[in-house]
Amino acid sequence: LFGLPDQSPHERVLLAADPVTGLKAILAVHSTARGPAFGGCRFWSYDNELAALNDALRLSQGMSLKNALANLPFGGGKAVIIKPAGDFDRPALFAAFGRAVQSLDGAYITAEDVGTTTADMLGMTAHTQYVSGIPREGAFGGDPSPKTAYGVFVSIDEGVKRVLGRESLQGVRVALQGLGAVGWHLAEYLHRAGAQLVVADVNADKVARAQAKLGAQAVGIGEILAAEVDVVAPCALGAVLNAQSIPALKAKLIAGAANNQLATAADGDALQARGITYLPDYLVNAGGIISVAREFRNEGEETAVMNEVAQIRGRVAELLDRIKTSGQTPAREADAWARSLLVKPA
Ligand code: NAI
């Protein structure tokens, strides 16, 4: 279980089960070298428990790299809750999950991820103090998605200038896979900057809204990655950059919010071989964790957090400089850079 090829060992993995509520969760603490492990909780239907474990292990390692590159005083962790097949009491299920989080005594701090909401986080506060992403009356907090979108936006903007040699986003064609919490905000930022959007989502209402409000062109979900565009922004699922999709890509730049976009490390090499620059997901999508981390530390203030998220632009620029010297792919360079930072911050 712990010998997955692109994994480094995890410090701690808790399998939490509660027969009363039907909770089955995996809480994975990858690294606490920089501080307590911080990362969201995914609520998802998995084919089997091993698939859930694999997801938790991969995502928590990604959080270690993300938090290190974002210069946060936190390590990496992630939790997944296996969605019960039948009826269930959602508040009770998340209460049980909150108790599991609390049982780790602060080694892991949770927040939203795919399938979980600000209401789930709020409900958990009665059971654990190690939860963030909570709406607070008149104070900083809540949904991290707009901050994630902003970080991806500045990354695309930097990539378009540095990689594509364009002066701005004006007229640049961007394909957006997924118009969810992050994808929609990203679409708005890009539209305001003059980009032309090509979009796909399984939810037809979201697509229609992007057509009506943002002048987006709609394509099918099977066509979005191979669209005739300058940039592809994956904002839905992981592992979308793989042996099937990479040969068909027309874009020269990939930057999006989805976690674990590369199916395997070799897929990063395959992108490079095709002359496509991939900005690693955990570098560009750190806006949300920056937001919930500052909220958790009571350091949240809108302008300051947005300025901190904007610093992702400088790190994208640094990565692009580093690969010129090292000759590495962006994925391998970012991985090495992040791992060199898995030590207690000064
Ligand atoms: P979400 O669930 O709100 O949005 C996902 C969207 O993708 C939905 O609109 C869904 O209908 C669509 N979708 C699903 N399958 C699709 C397919 N095959 N083709 C096209 N569209 C499809 O999730 P959210 O929060 O926007 O996150 C998106 C991605 O970004 C996830 O991978 C998440 O892990 C990652 N992420 C999110 C952060 C956040 O702050 N919300 C932070 C860091 C990463």
Side-chain angles (χ1 to χ4, degrees):
L1 293 182
F2 300 98
L4 298 167
D6 54 352
Q7 296 277 338
S8 58
H10 286 65
E11 287 179 16
R12 213 161 154 186
V13 179
L14 173 69
L15 307 179
D18 177 50
V20 177
T21 59
L23 176 78
K24 277 187 184 171
I26 298 158
L27 293 80
V29 173
H30 176 256
S31 167
T32 56
R34 296 182 61 87
F38 209 142
C41 167
R42 182 162 290 196
F43 187 51
W44 194 249
S45 301
Y46 289 94
D47 289 342
N48 54 57
E49 289 164 9
L50 201 58
L53 177 62
N54 190 24
D55 213 20
L57 294 179
R58 275 171 59 90
L59 288 165
S60 55
Q61 177 174 246
M63 288 311 301
S64 290
L65 306 183
K66 187 185 305 195
N67 293 344
L69 280 185
N71 205 21
L72 292 169
F74 290 104
K78 198 95 180 182
V80 306
I81 302 177
I82 300 173
K83 196 171 187 174
D87 288 344
F88 62 94
D89 177 342
R90 189 167 180 124
L93 189 86
F94 277 89
F97 174 68
R99 292 193 292 275
V101 171
Q102 187 65 24
S103 76
L104 290 174
D105 284 329
Y108 167 66
I109 303 157
T110 200
E112 295 89 348
D113 189 57
V114 175
T116 54
T117 66
T118 49
D120 297 328
M121 300 306 128
L122 191 59
M124 262 194 271
T125 55
H127 307 278
T128 181
Q129 77 243 50
Y130 303 113
V131 55
S132 191
I134 300 156
R136 296 160 207 264
E137 195 75 36
F140 184 87
D143 181 12
S145 308
K147 309 292 188 300
T148 304
Y150 184 56
V152 177
F153 170 71
V154 298
S155 301
I156 292 176
D157 190 56
E158 188 66 19
V160 157
K161 289 171 181 157
R162 297 274 308 247
V163 178
L164 305 184
R166 304 277 288 255
E167 275 182 13
S168 75
L169 278 160
Q170 193 67 43
V172 171
R173 286 172 61 80
V174 184
L176 267 164
Q177 183 186 42
L179 291 166
V182 180
W184 181 263
H185 288 288
L186 177 59
E188 287 184 325
Y189 277 122
L190 291 167
H191 176 69
R192 278 201 291 272
Q196 291 175 16
L197 303 178
V198 180
V199 301
D201 195 296
V202 288
N203 182 323
D205 292 345
K206 293 181 183 177
V207 173
R209 198 162 142 234
Q211 287 175 295
K213 291 201 163 175
L214 309 175
Q217 177 194 340
V219 299
I221 57 165
E223 295 156 40
I224 188 72
L225 293 175
E228 287 282 356
V229 291
D230 305 297
V231 184
V232 165
C235 294
L237 316 163
V240 292
L241 302 173
N242 53 46
Q244 284 72 47
S245 64
I246 291 171
L249 289 167
K250 313 276 190 320
K252 288 288 173 226
L253 179 69
I254 314 279
N259 285 312
N260 294 338
Q261 288 166 39
L262 294 176
T264 67
D267 292 311
D269 305 337
L271 286 169
Q272 182 86 345
R274 285 214 51 217
I276 299 167
T277 301
Y278 166 66
L279 299 181
D281 41 28
Y282 54 81
L283 171 64
V284 308
N285 72 9
I289 193 73
I290 291 170
S291 177
V292 292
R294 292 302 167 206
E295 175 192 330
F296 186 77
R297 286 169 64 98
N298 288 321
E299 295 165 352
E301 191 276 314
E302 187 65 24
T303 310
V305 169
M306 287 300 264
N307 286 340
E308 190 173 350
V309 174
Q311 289 173 21
I312 294 173
R313 179 192 290 277
R315 288 192 279 271
V316 167
E318 182 171 349
L319 179 69
L320 294 172
D321 285 340
R322 280 173 176 248
I323 58 174
K324 273 194 204 148
T325 317
S326 70
Q328 285 283 5
T329 66
R332 292 191 188 277
E333 186 67 38
D335 188 87
W337 182 14
R339 283 180 200 282
S340 74
L341 299 172
L342 292 185
V343 289
K344 192 136 201 77

